[in-house]
Amino acid sequence: MNSPTPAIVTQTAVRPLPRLALLVFCLAYVLPGFLGREPWKIEDLSAFGVMRELALGLTEWWEPRLLGLAPEEPGLLPYWLGALSIRTLGFLDAETASRLPFIVLLAFTLACTWYAVYHLARQPAAQPVAFAFGGEASPRDYARAMADAGLLALIACLGLARLSHETTPELARLAFASLMLLSVARLGRRESPWASLVAASLALLALLLSGMGWPAVWLLAGWIVILLRSPGESEAPVQPALVRHRAALLSLLVVLAVLVGLGLRQGWLTNPLGWSETLGHAANAKSSVNIWTSYARMLVWFTWPAWPLAVWTVWRWRRQLGSLHLALPLWFVLVGLLNSALAGRSDRALLVALPAFAALAAFALPTLRRSAAALIDWFTLLFFSFCALVIWVIWVAMQTGVPAKPAANVAKLAPGFTPEFSFGLFLLALMATLAWLGLVAWRVGRHPQAIWKSLVLPASGATLCWLLLMTLWLPLLDFGRSYGPMSRRLASLLPADACVLVDGLSQAQIAALQHHGGLDIHRIDSKLAPQCRSLLVDLEQQPSLDERVELTHWAFKATVRRLNDDRRETILLYLRVGG
């Protein structure tokens, strides 16, 4: 007899993860990286600079600027959230206050992904085969176990860790895209259609306000077409429910048209395809094998380990690709891949597709052979154990000088760095490592099979390495990725509250000089330029400096680099001597 679905799952295989353990696990992933560090270059620091300007009232809320320059990443809502948090939580430092909304956004992403996979797994077409004498997984327990697996698959994605811990519009887009996935998954079950309609509309509006633009419209429009073509089934379908479902879908079409009109009016949507600004980049990329090879490598590591499982899902469920539980996340993945391929910053554009990748990866588990699951476990165990060992060895070398070669490499890559020992961070790292060892012992032991078991080690290993980096290596990363040391060095060469002109500096450097250095920064063409007695110039702009200022009025004083041997980020300091 032919199986209606390829999933064969028993009731014993769908026991859920303990809720407390899952909560602690998520906290261990979310909080490190947000707390205790300085803003890092480049996008993280640039976005923080815009939020700070808004909070201080130095720029317009509907047209945020940093020293008169538009943000490098478009959007309004993410900057509003950070600025409102800075203004409201004045008792906290600006860095911590600006990150609190983004901590909530990352936690919200994890929650939306869990519930989205849950509702997709409740689709009748996603259910496992019913056994002749019973014993198959119940729909509710099966959906809960699949949701646990989807959440673990998302956390395990290697590309999620750094970008999801930055205070940038990309994290806001990820959160609201996961909300859209959840709302449409609920709409596919005809469960609370009007609540799902409101959630989908708010998600689209938030994505437009976060600078995502036309790709967000294509996401929702494609999902509406899929749902209208195959509106899904409920466990006890009745005609009134179907009528409400179709009415909600038609209302969503009206809302989509209204929001598109608003976006065109406000300038949030500027091109008919949304990608035409990057078509030239894509055309050049097609003529270069190296660029596309690099892009393929980025895809492999950024979405690992979700992408091989997603490919397996598409193959094993190929006869059900038109079903909602596969068509919805697959459409999300395709739009994300296309947007990423045509965007200049492809990894950041791909971030919003990770929840859909995780959903597809979850549906691979009911069809995965035991040998393939064992291969995933052993590869993950060796890979993340090796990575954790490397992190510990280099930390010990930084603290003691032994082994000598890693210590010498750190001194070469970060000249001037002085290692610091924090007992609290060391204790957190030690506890995480012991927990990993205990988890490995549990995983290799004999325990009843669970459907999510194959993703426990990948997700835990990714969390372990991220936590170790954000504890043991945090001082080194702050030194290497922050403009704080350079900004404070420049500030020490200038009088307090000095008026300083800048020429050729990036938005991240300007934000760092304002925040870390406490400098009063102005552009070289501002009205206050004649009153300023200091000038900071990017090294690459120095040859053409005489075109913008009268060099006879300025005397060179010092050269400051972010690192001692980094000529790419070198700032020249001039003092006014005339004019």
Side-chain angles (χ1 to χ4, degrees), residues 189-524:
R189 291 189 62 210
R190 302 197 212 123
E191 188 168 296
S192 304
W194 296 108
S196 300
L197 164 66
V198 172
S201 304
L202 291 177
L204 178 59
L205 179 60
L207 284 172
L208 295 179
L209 286 171
S210 299
M212 188 166 180
W214 278 102
V217 176
W218 301 137
L219 283 176
L220 189 57
W223 286 340
I224 293 174
V225 172
I226 293 171
L227 289 172
L228 284 174
R229 180 176 176 272
S230 177
E233 301 175 80
S234 62
E235 294 175 359
V238 291
Q239 190 63 23
L242 180 59
V243 172
R244 291 195 302 271
H245 177 266
R246 290 192 179 275
L249 280 175
L250 293 176
S251 301
L252 189 56
L253 278 173
V254 175
V255 171
L256 175 62
V258 171
L259 289 178
V260 168
L262 178 63
L264 290 171
R265 180 181 178 86
Q266 297 295 329
W268 304 332
L269 303 172
T270 55
N271 298 308
L273 292 178
W275 296 305
S276 58
E277 295 179 357
T278 59
L279 288 179
H281 170 81
N284 294 332
K286 290 180 180 179
S287 63
S288 174
V289 176
N290 292 334
I291 292 179
W292 284 103
T293 302
S294 175
Y295 177 68
R297 285 198 299 264
M298 185 277 296
L299 285 179
V300 169
W301 75 260
F302 193 88
T303 59
W304 179 270
W307 74 263
L309 294 175
V311 171
W312 179 255
T313 295
V314 172
W315 170 251
R316 291 291 285 123
W317 293 79
R318 60 190 180 278
R319 293 185 177 87
Q320 290 85 14
L321 288 182
S323 302
L324 291 176
H325 69 288
L326 298 176
L328 293 180
L330 189 58
W331 174 249
F332 200 121
V333 167
L334 292 177
V335 172
L337 288 174
L338 181 60
N339 187 37
S340 172
L342 298 180
R345 305 159 82 180
S346 52
D347 57 343
R348 293 181 174 271
L350 188 60
L351 187 65
V352 296
L354 290 184
F357 266 110
L360 289 176
F363 285 105
L365 300 183
T367 67
L368 207 60
R369 295 186 180 91
R370 183 166 296 184
S371 58
L375 179 63
I376 294 175
D377 284 337
W378 281 108
F379 175 80
T380 302
L381 172 62
L382 295 175
F383 177 77
F384 285 114
S385 296
F386 175 76
C387 292
L389 179 63
V390 169
I391 295 172
W392 273 105
V393 167
I394 294 179
W395 178 80
V396 171
M398 286 190 292
Q399 299 294 326
T400 65
V402 179
K405 188 172 182 179
N409 290 336
V410 171
K412 180 181 178 180
L413 295 174
F417 169 68
T418 302
E420 303 175 10
F421 177 80
S422 171
F423 180 77
L425 296 179
F426 167 76
L427 186 61
L428 286 175
L430 182 61
M431 292 173 59
T433 305
L434 294 177
W436 166 256
L437 296 176
L439 185 63
V440 169
W442 170 83
R443 184 63 186 91
V444 299
R446 293 183 175 271
H447 300 282
Q449 185 68 24
I451 200 170
W452 39 261
K453 210 172 180 183
S454 298
L455 288 171
V456 169
L457 286 184
S460 301
T463 303
L464 169 70
C465 291
W466 177 250
L467 193 147
L468 291 180
L469 288 174
M470 293 299 103
T471 52
L472 299 179
W473 283 23
L474 186 58
L476 176 63
L477 294 174
D478 262 349
F479 182 85
R481 296 190 58 84
S482 169
Y483 283 119
M486 182 183 71
S487 301
R488 289 185 281 268
R489 202 177 316 139
L490 281 167
S492 66
L493 301 174
L494 299 171
D497 301 324
C499 172
V500 182
L501 300 178
V502 293
D503 181 51
L505 270 62
S506 67
Q507 291 188 13
Q509 292 171 329
I510 292 172
L513 291 170
Q514 291 176 330
H515 178 63
H516 297 298
L519 300 178
D520 182 19
I521 302 294
H522 298 277
R523 294 172 61 182
I524 201 169

Side-chain angles (χ1 to χ4, degrees), residues 60-119:
E60 298 292 334
W61 285 79
W62 281 100
E63 197 174 1
R65 293 286 187 270
L66 177 59
L67 209 65
L69 302 175
E72 295 180 353
E73 278 295 325
L76 293 174
L77 185 56
Y79 302 115
W80 290 350
L81 293 175
L84 288 173
S85 182
I86 294 173
R87 178 174 290 186
T88 304
L89 305 175
F91 57 92
L92 295 176
D93 62 273
E95 298 171 8
T96 302
S98 68
R99 292 184 188 134
L100 292 182
F102 293 86
I103 294 176
V104 176
L105 286 176
L106 180 54
F108 183 71
T109 300
L110 300 183
C112 285
T113 302
W114 192 96
Y115 281 103
V117 178
Y118 175 84
H119 287 289

Side-chain angles (χ1 to χ4, degrees), residues 23-190:
L23 177 62
V24 172
F25 179 74
C26 291
L27 289 176
Y29 185 82
V30 170
L31 294 181
F34 278 118
L35 305 179
R37 68 169 178 86
E38 294 183 345
W40 289 348
K41 68 181 189 90
I42 299 176
E43 292 81 5
D44 188 38
L45 190 50
S46 300
F48 170 72
V50 176
M51 297 172 194
R52 182 176 176 273
E53 293 275 285
L54 283 171
L56 296 176
L58 302 177
T59 184
E60 298 292 334
W61 285 79
W62 281 100
E63 197 174 1
R65 293 286 187 270
L66 177 59
L67 209 65
L69 302 175
E72 295 180 353
E73 278 295 325
L76 293 174
L77 185 56
Y79 302 115
W80 290 350
L81 293 175
L84 288 173
S85 182
I86 294 173
R87 178 174 290 186
T88 304
L89 305 175
F91 57 92
L92 295 176
D93 62 273
E95 298 171 8
T96 302
S98 68
R99 292 184 188 134
L100 292 182
F102 293 86
I103 294 176
V104 176
L105 286 176
L106 180 54
F108 183 71
T109 300
L110 300 183
C112 285
T113 302
W114 192 96
Y115 281 103
V117 178
Y118 175 84
H119 287 289
L120 291 174
R122 289 296 295 269
Q123 287 288 320
Q127 293 296 309
V129 176
F131 300 158
F133 300 101
E136 72 277 2
S138 67
R140 180 179 177 84
D141 292 339
Y142 172 75
R144 284 167 59 93
M146 293 291 287
D148 291 341
L151 177 59
L152 293 175
L154 176 63
I155 293 176
C157 290
L158 298 180
L160 181 70
R162 180 177 65 86
L163 297 182
S164 67
H165 289 84
E166 293 181 348
T167 55
T168 60
E170 282 85 1
L171 177 54
R173 296 168 196 165
L174 172 66
F176 299 128
S178 63
L179 174 61
M180 185 182 288
L181 178 63
L182 168 59
S183 60
V184 181
R186 284 176 56 89
L187 198 58
R189 291 189 62 210
R190 302 197 212 123

